[in-house]
């Protein structure tokens, strides 16, 4: 059974304090790993897709990396507007459905 | 404006009273999907549809029905809601060739008493 876990459950950072979020996954052949951002009361917003180990993607202060067992979302010099819940999801190579992790709730304090 | 819309946004109902949550997208997307989100469990896929008249079960389909008669609409039907279906529901859509870039609706908060 495909599974996704995320850690930590919650993270509080000071503005400018860089850190990383972890997404560990078990899947029978990975088609893709996805990162989403979700603000309170809203639907998830797509950030990145990673397809193979060693791949990296960047967007502003965010950088996502992928290994064969986990993915990291690195946040460099975060700002208060980066506060949100970050969701990780996987899709198996021969499946059509998506499996999401429980998310990491990030708070960036000014 | 490209968007996914859901109605209603909030709904309180009683056990056993049939209800439908509508989902519509204006991006001509082939792929549509329904999720429920519960604290500590994350998003779980209920049903998805690859195109008109093509639907399939996700991870938690029990107690739900869907239909895809038109490309833009993908309603979620609860024929006999129960309290364990109290949750936050999201509809999403994407191009079939870009299934990873899903666009999510604003959510429907359902409470079943």
């Amino acid at each position: 059974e495909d599974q996704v876990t995320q850690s930590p459950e919650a993270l509080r950072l000071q503005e400018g304090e860089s850190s990383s979020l972890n997404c560990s996954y078990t899947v029978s052949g990975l088609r893709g790993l996805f990162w989403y951002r979700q603000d309170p009361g809203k639907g998830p917003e797509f950030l990145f897709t990673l397809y193979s180990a060693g791949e990296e993607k960047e967007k502003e202060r965010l950088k996502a990396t992928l290994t064969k067992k986990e993915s990291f979302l690195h946040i460099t010099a975060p700002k208060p507007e980066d506060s949100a819940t970050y969701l990780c999801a996987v899709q198996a190579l021969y499946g059509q459905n998506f499996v999401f992790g429980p998310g990491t709730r990030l708070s960036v304090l000014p | 404006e490209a968007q996914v819309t859901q109605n209603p946004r909030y709904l309180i109902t009683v056990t056993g009273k049939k209800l439908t949550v509508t989902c519509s997208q204006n991006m001509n997307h082939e792929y549509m999907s329904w999720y429920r989100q519960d604290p500590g469990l994350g998003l779980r896929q209920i049903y998805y549809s690859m195109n008109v008249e093509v639907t399939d079960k996700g991870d938690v389909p029990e107690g739900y029905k869907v239909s895809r008669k038109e490309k833009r609409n993908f309603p979620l039907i609860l024929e006999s809601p129960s309290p364990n279906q109290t949750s936050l529901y999201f509809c999403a859509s994407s191009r079939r060739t870009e299934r990873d870039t899903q666009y999510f609706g604003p959510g429907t908060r359902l409470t079943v008493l």
Side-chain angles (χ1 to χ4, degrees), chain A residues 2-64:
Chain A
D2 302 336
Q3 283 191 323
V4 177
T5 59
Q6 292 186 246
S7 62
E9 183 177 328
L11 180 63
R12 298 182 75 173
L13 300 173
Q14 290 295 133
E15 184 172 2
E17 180 187 0
S18 301
S19 187
S20 297
L21 313 182
N22 176 265
C23 169
S24 295
Y25 64 91
T26 304
V27 65
S28 52
L30 180 69
R31 176 190 170 274
L33 183 139
F34 318 102
W35 283 98
Y36 286 82
R37 169 193 170 125
Q38 186 175 22
D39 294 302
K42 295 191 175 181
E45 177 186 343
F46 172 77
L47 292 174
F48 304 110
T49 306
L50 301 166
Y51 294 104
S52 57
E55 189 174 0
E56 299 182 352
K57 294 242 176 111
E58 286 188 67
K59 180 179 180 180
E60 295 181 356
R61 295 176 292 282
L62 301 177
K63 178 180 176 180

Side-chain angles (χ1 to χ4, degrees), chain B residues 5 20 22 47 96 102:
Chain B
T5 57
T20 299
T22 65
Y47 270 95
R96 188 174 53 197
Q102 292 189 80

